[in-house]
Amino acid sequence: MSKEKKTEKGFVTIEKFEMEDGTIMEIERTNPDPDTIDMLTAMSYIVEAVRGNGLSVSEYEDTVPFINGIMKRQNLSYLQVIYMTIIAERGDSYNSFVNVQQIASYMGCNNLELMTYLNEFEDMVKRGILIKNSNHYGRQGYKLSEPFFKSLQNNETYQQESLACKNMVEFFNHFYSFTHRRYLEEMSTGLMLDNVHRLMEENKDLPYVKALKKYEFSPMVELIVCHFCRHLFLGEESVLHLDNLSFLYDSDREKSEFEWEMRMGNHYLLKKRLVEYACQDGFESRFEFKLALNVRKKLLKGFSLQGEEQATSTLIDCHKIAEKKLFFSNDIDKRIENVNDIIKEENYRNICVRLKKKGLRQGVACLFYGSPGTGKTESVLQLARQSGRNIRRIAHFAG
């Protein structure tokens, strides 16, 4: 026989038992008031109740008031409260990832039962309540986001963080937080795009966003261009390796297609001259890229890299140099052929390695001399065309 009464500390259940000698023993059990209890304490009751009891509500109906309380305060479904509670318990608050198999094992049900409710997890990921790691030992792992856990600690309703920014530094720091989580495989490409879209929408009046939107890029191209701009603006890095771009794709197929198109020059970014190949040791690199100067000037007005050369218009593309036949004496032909052999990529790199080992300056300098019109400039142009090296013309004025 039992009866219940409400006190300041919660509900007190008084149970009476008749002993063998006829005496009556009373046992009081205090159950906290679901309307006033803090959320972390309510979760401690829930996590014990659901251990080994599967998905059957009847097995832990005593905790239903606690579950309902969190549902209302955090706008979660019944199952989301349970899953979130187990993830907090098994994942050491918000420090470790917990996979579906671990949750199923804790609840005493099979994996397939939980798999039918994965949409409950994904909804919490989209809302910033959970962080998902798709590479958690071959399984999808989840952990509480730090902002959501802080809301539980403070016994407050969780509000998704505002992305409104006062300046470009704040904007690119927000952007970096999304791409970095993608790099750590804590965010899918789709979710990263959703977050970047929200970032753009909340900052549509920023000059950078206005300039970017004028291009009318597809979401993925817009993200990649923004990725270049972020490296330029925050890190003064103008050249990005292909690996520093392809990680933005979580699909192996899409990643391979992107890498192939970039290397072959067939990607939209290269076809539209938004991005160009970078040069390494004077050779065009098919694995390194930089934002085209005209695009950078439109998007990042007034921004310049420290120590950057201003005379970029003097760069001559080796692929645009017309082939010409030059006629020299046998002695001059041999000298030019020697230079051509030295600056071939493999030979040039070997020379630089040997110079470095000896502690000498790396590189090759050649002096072409002769009267005007004897073919000095044209010889250099043809050497550049044959070796695949671009040329920078530097004007020299005698003082």
Side-chain angles (χ1 to χ4, degrees), residues 108-306:
C109 59
N110 62 59
N111 294 349
L112 293 178
E113 284 183 89
L114 281 192
M115 289 293 183
T116 59
Y117 298 105
L118 280 181
N119 60 311
E120 303 280 0
F121 291 91
E122 293 305 310
D123 178 68
M124 288 192 282
V125 171
K126 287 182 179 179
R127 291 172 56 193
I129 292 170
L130 296 182
I131 292 173
K132 180 172 78 170
N133 185 344
S134 57
N135 194 30
H136 185 61
Y137 302 107
R139 307 185 186 96
Q140 290 181 344
Y142 302 89
K143 68 178 182 179
L144 297 191
S145 70
E146 187 174 352
F148 180 73
F149 183 74
K150 296 294 185 188
S151 76
L152 296 175
Q153 280 186 315
N154 297 329
N155 204 36
E156 298 171 346
T157 299
Y158 169 70
Q159 298 290 338
Q160 197 162 23
E161 180 185 15
S162 170
L163 298 178
C165 304
K166 297 176 183 176
N167 51 52
M168 294 283 285
V169 174
E170 288 184 10
F171 179 89
F172 281 122
N173 276 324
H174 276 302
F175 180 84
Y176 170 69
S177 71
F178 304 137
T179 56
H180 187 60
R181 282 176 58 189
R182 170 71 216 113
Y183 176 76
L184 296 175
E185 297 188 323
E186 294 180 0
M187 183 177 280
S188 67
T189 298
L191 184 56
M192 176 180 58
L193 286 169
D194 288 346
N195 278 290
V196 170
H197 175 73
R198 189 163 69 91
L199 179 65
M200 298 288 182
E201 285 298 303
E202 291 190 29
N203 295 281
K204 57 178 65 175
D205 292 329
L206 273 181
Y208 168 77
V209 177
K210 286 182 177 180
L212 185 65
K213 289 299 180 182
K214 286 181 181 178
Y215 282 95
E216 297 183 345
F217 292 140
S218 69
M220 199 63 200
V221 169
E222 184 177 80
L223 185 140
I224 293 171
V225 170
C226 203
H227 187 55
F228 272 103
C229 291
R230 195 281 293 175
H231 275 275
L232 276 164
F233 193 84
L234 295 184
E236 292 203 349
E237 300 170 87
S238 60
V239 176
L240 297 184
H241 192 275
L242 188 56
D243 290 341
N244 204 346
L245 297 167
S246 60
F247 81 89
L248 296 169
Y249 293 87
D250 55 11
S251 162
D252 288 338
R253 180 183 61 81
E254 291 179 347
K255 186 182 293 186
S256 296
E257 287 178 359
F258 171 76
E259 290 176 345
W260 176 256
E261 288 180 350
M262 291 295 283
R263 288 172 59 195
M264 295 297 105
N266 296 328
H267 194 276
Y268 176 88
L269 288 163
L270 290 160
K271 284 183 175 180
K272 295 295 182 180
R273 299 184 181 275
L274 303 166
V275 167
E276 56 192 31
Y277 293 113
C279 288
Q280 187 179 47
D281 295 331
F283 292 98
E284 186 178 81
S285 171
R286 294 279 167 148
F287 291 90
E288 294 184 319
F289 307 87
K290 61 181 180 179
L291 201 63
L293 183 63
N294 64 314
V295 178
R296 197 182 86 191
K297 283 183 174 179
K298 288 179 181 178
L299 296 179
L300 302 173
K301 290 181 180 179
F303 175 83
S304 62
L305 290 170
Q306 193 172 21

